[in-house]
Amino acid sequence: MRDGTQILLLEDEPAIASTIAFAVQREGFVLTHCPLVRDARRELSSRPFDLVVLDVGLPDGSGLDLCRDLRSGPETAGMPILVLSARSEELDRVLGLELGADDYVAKPFSPRELVARMRALLRRSVSGHPLGRLEGRVPDSPFVLDREGQRVSFRGVALPLTRLEYGLLATLLQGNGRIYSRDKLIEAVWGQTVDSMDRTVDTHIKTLRSKLRDAGADKDCIVTHRGMGYSLVAR
Ligand code: CA
């Protein structure tokens, strides 16, 4: 059973990687395994992932450096990150969380526990975030919301959205004209409040607007309310 959830694993020890691969594939997740930091960077720059699992010590660098870089990139700032390390020292744990990791699992770990922690992170992020009950056609509008597939269609055509763009659009559609502050959007889409992410929201709103325009939607359907936030008029 595949549920299509995309996981990137950065881990250089083959035995650990294959244990994790077995456990997550049994859950229906799709795993991309990278043994080197540079492989992981290449994969992460080419497409979105739902969750990243990072080892700390890699032959060509540190998973913590990658963690910090992911947090500062607009496309990856909200990506759930779980750090995995053989070193269970408090310092590593604190460093990992300070650099923006969402959770930390020390080796040796049970695959069952790791998968449970991954599921918890995924629930907190867009895919499982309780955005409300709106599903299917949005009343009096050309939008159709498919939560299961995390897709939004406009006039019957699926919009090519990233995970975060989908989260923003689904939230705004759900609000039906309600104004969401940037903080509220961050909370709804990223599942937590993170400091200094206002610009990240603006960046995603900008790309979302341009995709809506490309699909033929009214370019002003997402309204900016100066000093307040955004709303969407779904007509
Ligand atoms: Ca390692």
Side-chain angles (χ1 to χ4, degrees):
M1 183 192 75
R2 284 161 70 103
D3 78 350
T5 300
Q6 296 284 335
I7 310 285
L8 183 131
L9 169 66
L10 172 59
E11 169 62 70
D12 61 318
E13 291 170 57
I16 294 175
S18 65
T19 303
I20 296 174
F22 181 75
V24 305
Q25 281 159 2
R26 197 175 46 190
E27 288 293 301
F29 299 159
V30 181
L31 186 83
T32 301
H33 169 227
C34 302
L36 294 173
V37 177
R38 67 164 179 270
D39 301 332
R41 287 189 191 278
R42 194 180 52 233
E43 288 291 338
L44 286 158
S45 64
S46 70
R47 63 198 174 91
F49 285 87
D50 297 301
L51 176 75
V52 182
V53 179
L54 303 176
D55 183 26
V56 173
L58 284 308
D60 65 336
S62 162
L64 294 179
D65 288 341
L66 178 58
C67 175
R68 189 184 48 221
D69 293 347
L70 289 173
R71 278 295 173 258
S72 57
E75 284 294 323
T76 52
M79 202 177 275
I81 300 174
L82 190 150
V83 168
L84 209 58
S85 173
R87 295 174 288 174
S88 60
E89 283 98 21
E90 186 72 1
L91 182 66
D92 262 11
R93 197 181 71 80
V94 171
L95 194 59
L97 296 176
E98 274 186 359
L99 291 175
D102 297 291
D103 201 0
Y104 185 99
V105 174
K107 296 175 191 172
F109 54 87
S110 88
R112 188 187 292 261
E113 191 205 342
L114 178 68
V115 166
R117 303 277 276 272
M118 289 167 71
R119 281 225 172 267
L121 282 183
L122 288 164
R123 270 198 302 276
R124 274 162 49 189
S125 76
V126 175
S127 51
H129 193 79
L131 290 167
R133 279 171 213 260
L134 185 64
E135 168 77 56
R137 179 160 297 280
V138 179
D140 302 321
S141 93
F143 291 96
V144 174
L145 185 55
D146 167 14
R147 287 190 191 281
E148 189 78 26
Q150 291 198 38
R151 278 187 298 263
V152 178
S153 305
F154 177 80
R155 291 196 185 121
V157 179
L159 297 165
L161 305 175
T162 65
R163 193 175 65 88
L164 295 175
E165 288 162 359
Y166 162 80
L168 285 172
L169 185 55
T171 305
L172 290 167
L173 284 169
Q174 175 74 34
N176 188 26
R178 174 183 154 193
I179 300 171
Y180 286 90
S181 68
R182 289 179 179 80
D183 280 353
K184 280 278 175 238
L185 286 173
I186 290 167
E187 201 182 312
V189 175
W190 279 264
Q192 58 190 329
T193 45
V194 183
D195 287 339
S196 54
M197 276 180 67
D198 286 5
R199 281 220 327 245
T200 309
V201 172
D202 295 346
T203 306
H204 287 283
I205 290 282
K206 197 174 159 195
T207 57
L208 185 54
R209 272 184 176 139
S210 109
K211 287 179 183 180
L212 286 168
R213 194 165 47 233
D214 290 347
D218 178 356
K219 71 176 170 55
D220 298 320
C221 70
I222 296 178
V223 183
T224 305
H225 302 268
R226 195 169 288 277
M228 294 169 72
Y230 295 100
S231 70
L232 189 147
V233 182
R235 277 183 285 275

